Amino acid sequence: MKAKLQASWNSLQSASLYGFRRRRSLIRLRAGDCTFERSGEVRTGLLAFSLILTLRPAVFLLVLFLCQMSPTINVKGKESGTARILGSGASGVAELFVFHPVDTIAKRLMSNKTKVSFSTLSPILFRDYATAPLGRKLLSLFPGLGYAAGYKITQRIYKYGGQPFFNDILRANYKTNFTNAFGERKGMMMTQAAAGSLTGIGEVVLLPLDVLKIKRQVNPEAFRGRGVLRIFLEERGALYRGWGWTMARNAPGSFALFGASAMTKDYLFGLRDYSQATWGQNFVASIAGAVASITIAAPLDTIKTRIQNANFEHKVSGVTIIKELVRNEGATALFKGLTPKILVVGPKLVFSYTLAQSLIPWFANYV
């Protein structure tokens, strides 16, 4: 099996090299190393090739192995795939334009390693523009908007559109298991939560876009004038730095988000078909899910952010960050930024999740 999967990886790399080589461009691929030398034009599709190379062989082999071992999937959800993409994508676009500055503020507060006071707040939030006019200060809160757009919209489509898909799979293949373990009513809620957790774990594939967004927000010096294509080709594995902590954060965070939302709809509103919830019910359920998700994931989110906002060449483990953080700032620093996240990032999650839950069933009436 291992030899078969390794052969598949080698075949993919060979096919990619054959498809993207062009006249005076040279791509050399050797064991564990990729060198790119360009003396002429390169096809636009080279960006896709660089994304493939960013995925380490071990990750690719793991994905293939899971596909080989997974049960046969032949399910059809209540909503079409198109409706899920449109509904979740629309929520991501709306969230981006409304809340990107809020996300920048939260990331800069979490990355700050000094005590926050009224006198230091402006330099922490606005960096080099702390003394600039108000308008320029506000514009400084929109760094990395392009990376944020690529990440946020893709992430929302995957998270809010993918969770129902995982839920369909679990209900089609493991409904009896959940019912026997938790009962019919709680089993349905646990299925929603488990589907959310699986979605959160799989979200790690989008990590490079998240890394670039965070670095642009809190550490733009790490780019050193390089474009996105050059960064992908040069950094590769560094873009997946912190992937383990990201999965550790996403699994319980997404479990709490979708689980608390389902519990609220079930116990508070007595709904059995969650897609029939009104805008108001979705709003209340989203608040419960967002607060639970942010609180549970806060310590791991702080660690993940500090790993990702360092320079590309600076490698530091999560354990080292925890030791230094507890020694220098105290254990409560693991929850640094929790209050502003609940107050301002919480509404962002509530906003997008409410929109997605309401728009997906609405689009399902037409597509």
Side-chain angles (χ1 to χ4, degrees):
M1 174 66 74
K2 181 179 180 180
K4 181 178 179 182
L5 295 177
Q6 184 65 53
S8 299
W9 167 252
N10 293 335
S11 298
L12 175 63
Q13 289 180 323
S14 300
S16 300
L17 287 173
Y18 177 80
F20 291 111
R21 192 188 308 253
R22 185 174 180 175
R23 284 197 314 233
R24 292 178 296 168
S25 296
L26 173 65
I27 299 175
R28 296 201 304 269
L29 184 65
R30 55 183 185 269
D33 182 36
C34 172
T35 305
F36 175 69
E37 297 175 359
R38 186 179 68 180
S39 58
E41 295 181 352
V42 183
R43 292 181 181 179
T44 306
L46 186 57
L47 178 59
F49 172 66
S50 67
L51 291 173
I52 293 175
L53 290 183
T54 305
L55 286 170
R56 293 182 176 181
V59 177
F60 175 78
L61 296 177
L62 176 61
V63 172
L64 276 184
F65 177 77
L66 292 176
C67 290
Q68 295 263 353
M69 301 299 293
S70 62
T72 302
I73 299 172
N74 184 22
V75 297
K76 180 176 177 61
K78 294 184 61 176
E79 304 95 0
S80 66
T82 303
R84 290 171 177 174
I85 292 174
L86 290 176
S88 55
S91 73
V93 172
E95 176 191 347
L96 178 69
F97 284 101
V98 175
F99 290 102
H100 183 68
V102 172
D103 186 51
T104 299
I105 291 173
K107 288 292 188 298
R108 289 178 177 177
L109 284 172
M110 284 190 293
S111 300
N112 172 58
K113 297 182 180 180
T114 61
K115 290 186 177 181
V116 179
S117 64
F118 183 79
S119 60
T120 62
L121 187 60
S122 184
I124 291 172
L125 298 183
F126 301 110
R127 302 291 177 84
D128 296 336
Y129 300 96
T131 59
L134 179 59
R136 194 66 190 86
K137 281 185 178 180
L138 295 178
L139 287 177
S140 70
L141 297 177
F142 283 89
L145 185 60
Y147 298 112
Y151 170 71
K152 184 58 64 178
I153 297 174
T154 305
Q155 189 248 11
R156 289 314 189 207
I157 290 176
Y158 170 78
K159 193 180 192 75
Y160 297 149
Q163 189 271 348
F165 174 73
F166 280 105
N167 186 60
D168 292 340
I169 295 175
L170 292 178
R171 287 177 60 83
N173 295 277
Y174 303 105
K175 181 178 180 180
T176 303
N177 302 73
F178 279 93
T179 301
N180 291 339
F182 304 102
E184 184 175 357
R185 186 179 184 183
K186 292 182 179 178
M188 186 168 63
M189 290 184 287
M190 289 299 297
T191 302
Q192 288 279 345
S197 188
L198 291 173
T199 307
I201 292 172
E203 199 176 322
V204 73
V205 299
L206 303 176
L207 189 59
L209 292 174
D210 189 25
V211 170
L212 293 176
K213 176 181 74 74
I214 291 176
K215 289 187 188 300
R216 194 66 180 174
Q217 288 174 310
V218 301
N219 187 17
E221 294 81 10
F223 284 78
R224 295 189 295 274
R226 297 177 295 175
V228 61
L229 177 59
R230 185 178 173 187
I231 290 176
F232 269 111
L233 289 174
E234 291 181 356
E235 303 300 340
R236 289 178 294 148
L239 293 174
Y240 275 93
R241 191 174 297 158
W243 65 269
W245 292 98
T246 299
M247 294 176 69
R249 179 204 67 165
N250 288 352
S254 295
F255 183 95
L257 173 65
F258 293 97
S261 176
M263 183 178 297
T264 302
K265 291 179 181 179
D266 193 305
Y267 284 104
L268 186 60
F269 300 117
L271 295 173
R272 293 296 179 268
D273 185 355
Y274 302 150
S275 65
Q276 297 300 313
T278 64
W279 280 78
Q281 291 170 338
N282 281 329
F283 177 72
V284 174
S286 297
I287 292 176
V291 172
S293 176
I294 292 172
T295 303
I296 290 175
L300 292 169
D301 195 32
T302 299
I303 297 169
K304 179 190 78 77
T305 299
R306 294 198 178 187
I307 290 174
Q308 293 176 341
N309 67 20
N311 288 331
F312 287 110
E313 63 273 8
H314 181 59
K315 296 181 180 180
V316 59
S317 68
V319 175
T320 301
I321 288 178
I322 293 176
K323 290 180 180 178
E324 292 180 353
L325 184 146
V326 173
R327 181 174 63 250
N328 300 328
E329 305 169 58
T332 56
L334 286 168
F335 290 90
K336 183 178 284 188
L338 177 59
T339 300
K341 283 186 72 174
I342 291 179
L343 293 178
V344 292
V345 180
K348 176 182 69 172
L349 187 56
V350 171
F351 177 82
S352 63
Y353 191 28
T354 299
L355 275 181
Q357 290 181 100
S358 301
L359 289 177
I360 290 175
W362 183 81
F363 276 115
N365 295 324
Y366 303 97
V367 292

